[in-house]
Amino acid sequence: MPRSKSDLPSKLCPVCQRPFTWRKKWEDCWDEVKYCSERCRRRRAQAKSDDDEMPQRRQ
């Protein structure tokens, strides 16, 4: 019986803050996958510096 997409594991991308799900090409390295796309992987340093520049809002 095939798996449904909702049964696949997912993670949250630290750059774009969007969830992404497991892919067959990540089968052997899912634990090391951090970014949802090549674009986010390239923008990781920029996203980190943006977080440093933005003041944290208090609730």
Side-chain angles (χ1 to χ4, degrees):
M1 181 157 188
R3 283 179 98 167
S4 68
K5 286 191 174 194
S6 63
D7 292 340
L8 296 174
S10 64
K11 293 182 179 184
L12 193 65
C13 178
V15 176
C16 66
Q17 300 301 309
R18 293 181 179 171
F20 62 99
T21 56
W22 181 91
R23 297 181 188 171
K24 179 71 174 171
K25 70 179 187 177
W26 293 333
E27 184 174 26
D28 296 330
C29 60
W30 176 245
D31 292 335
E32 290 90 42
V33 174
K34 296 179 184 174
Y35 306 102
C36 65
S37 64
E38 190 66 27
R39 179 181 180 195
C40 282
R41 189 185 65 79
R42 286 192 304 255
R43 295 182 67 199
R44 67 183 180 252
Q46 180 183 354
K48 190 171 188 175
S49 66
D50 287 349
D51 288 344
D52 294 341
E53 294 171 10
M54 304 264 301
Q56 296 292 328
R57 291 178 57 190
R58 293 187 182 185
Q59 295 182 354

